[in-house]
Amino acid sequence: MTTPTKQDGGRATASAMVKAEDVHKSFGSLQVLKGIDLEVASGEVFCLIGPSGSGKSTFLRCINHLEKINAGRLYVDGDLVGYRQQGDRLHELRDHEVARKRRDIGMVFQRFNLFPHMTAVENIMEAPVQVKGMNKGAARERAAQLLERVGLADKAGSYPSQLSGGQQQRVAIARALAMDPKLMLFDEPTSALDPELVGDVLDVMRDLAETGMTMIVVTHEMGFAREVGDSLVFMDGGVVVESGRPRDVLTDPQHERTQSFLSKVL
Amino acid sequence: MSDDIDRTGGAPEDASPAKAPAAPAGQAGPQAIRAVPVRHYGRYVAAVVAIAVLVAIVYAFAQGKINWGAVPDYFFDHRILKGAGQTLLLTLLSMLIGVVGGVVLAIMRLSRNPVTSSIAWFYIWFFRGTPVLVQLFVWFNLGLVFEYINLGPIYKNYWSDFMTPFLTALLGLGLNEAAYMAEICRAGLLSVDEGQTEAAHALGMSHGKTLRRIVIPQAMRVIVPPTGNEVINMLKTTSLVSAVQYYELLRYAQDIGQTSGAPVEMLFLAAAWYLVMTSVLSIGQYYIERYYARGSSRSLPPTPWQRLRANLLSLGRPKGALG
């Protein structure tokens, strides 16, 4: 319902947050990405769908340099990911330079990856305190606000093992938001959840989208993609097969491969 | 909990009077099964044999010419106390070398630099592969090879003045221990899920910070129990250093044994001291493990004190304990 207005807004500020040019990635002899070209506009909710092994998660991990790309160029907010260009040569960034860039990119994992030895609030405070040098009081206050925002104000002192999967994932989202990222990456955020817990997480993501956050979401939740997404890309075999507005791609897929995939998941 | 116990404990009593008048109300719950239990005759035989053996051993020692009185007489002798102190000191310092060395070696071993990882591998191979007593003798006898120690402008001395029995013992035990601790630390670091490192990196944490704040605290859960084992082993292994002229508990006990004419009794005394010290260390280990268990299970295990209190409270209840 809010999608049309948001979309128009997204188009108006069409500066690219993420830009991929012919991105290749292989693990040993296995080619996972075989030339990805795409652009994610600032403020856009960008959904990536496709069968497992199609390279969508790998592409997502390349964006914050958890994986190194082998060829092509990848830009986040106008800067090359993982390298610095001097003249016509590329220089690898040092670890601390990579770390600095990652501050601006939040990531939410399929398996949550909360720190099990810290409570929910400590999980959220960790990066602002340790990375940004924020003082603990302010960080704790901010963490409490974020917990409230994801509907878990009463779980501040709980350890991850005391939370359900859906609650853990919402804490993980709050943890990523604590760094005030300009881009959020979601790697199948609901795939490890019981079906009845998926809704809570999607609600939080929907709220986040309404604030104008740029989000790249690898997902199997077609309903979410259709409702919240501004753009959608269908990937298979390491290439982009089809892209467009979610409604168009999901209801009227042009490519045969997309049609057969959607006929199985919808 | 107590509700459950009371219900099951009370059920037979409540049920039997109700059953006698043929259960008119018809509110009969499930009747408890009363069956003849299987008799495990083998268990009786085993118990009898075990007790017989035990009695025979106790009898033998009671018959032996042992002056039991010598044990309490010397238990708090100042030499014994000093020896126990030296044993503890040596244990702590060599474990310190072992742990610090072990962490460094483990990180070297896991590093991507082939030179450092091979050196760590070689170190572990060498020190784990040779007996610690041999290593102690080698340190002890290095004076036959080197006349001086010369660290340029920093330090220069005669080897025999430099390599005291204490340093010999410390280096021998500590460097050997580092090899074992390296493997324990490596296993701990490897046990932490890779997703943890990824999550920390994704938040912009550096390698060092990720290791310190995220990986090591979780690795500790795996590292602490075998390390506790190592401490207890180390406490006992320190008895070997009497061979390189270092005076610790066993050495003092043996000395007293020779002069007082109660050598075996003094060995018993030393054994008792080792038992006391290892027992105290085990208790400490329990609390450290409990600390690092934070978040790994839903609730922390009770401390021995809490457990004792709970047991005493439940004893107060008449039938609860019988269940």
Side-chain angles (χ1 to χ4, degrees), chain B residues 143-172:
Chain B
L144 302 176
V145 188
F146 302 115
E147 203 172 338
Y148 302 103
I149 177 164
N150 188 352
L151 299 178
I154 311 163
Y155 185 81
K156 195 173 177 180
N157 204 343
Y158 286 108
W159 187 270
S160 55
D161 290 342
F162 163 71
M163 194 54 96
T164 59
F166 180 68
L167 196 60
T168 307
L170 196 59
L171 285 178

Side-chain angles (χ1 to χ4, degrees), chain A residues 89-141:
Chain A
R89 298 197 65 171
L90 287 185
H91 296 260
E92 275 189 6
L93 292 185
R94 298 191 160 277
D95 286 338
H96 70 88
E97 293 170 311
V98 173
R100 175 164 275 280
K101 299 241 159 137
R102 283 183 182 140
R103 291 182 188 188
D104 295 332
I105 307 173
M107 185 159 191
V108 174
F109 298 85
Q110 182 177 357
R111 308 265 347 145
F112 330 135
N113 294 349
L114 288 181
F115 306 133
H117 58 303
M118 299 180 186
T119 60
V121 76
E122 287 167 352
N123 262 281
I124 301 171
M125 291 163 61
E126 181 67 11
V129 172
Q130 294 297 327
V131 178
K132 279 189 173 168
M134 193 188 258
N135 83 55
K136 281 197 176 176
R140 188 175 291 275
E141 210 167 292

Side-chain angles (χ1 to χ4, degrees), chain B residues 105-134:
Chain B
L105 283 168
I107 291 173
M108 280 172 74
R109 184 100 207 258
L110 292 172
S111 88
R112 279 189 218 139
N113 184 337
V115 177
T116 56
S117 78
S118 321
I119 290 174
W121 181 89
F122 179 84
Y123 182 99
I124 294 165
W125 172 75
F126 181 82
F127 281 89
R128 274 206 318 183
T130 52
V132 66
L133 188 59
V134 173

Side-chain angles (χ1 to χ4, degrees), chain B residues 283-314:
Chain B
I283 294 170
Q285 181 188 349
Y286 179 87
Y287 279 92
I288 295 174
E289 274 176 33
R290 193 168 174 276
Y291 174 78
Y292 282 109
R294 276 171 316 155
S296 67
S297 53
R298 279 163 202 232
S299 59
L300 286 177
T303 63
W305 171 239
Q306 287 167 344
R307 212 178 299 166
L308 184 72
R309 238 179 16 181
N311 284 344
L312 288 178
L313 282 180
S314 70

Side-chain angles (χ1 to χ4, degrees), chain A residues 114-120 123 158-164 168, chain B residues 295:
Chain A
L114 288 181
F115 306 133
H117 58 303
M118 299 180 186
T119 60
N123 262 281
S158 302
Y159 284 100
S161 61
Q162 297 164 325
L163 300 174
S164 74
Q168 289 189 52

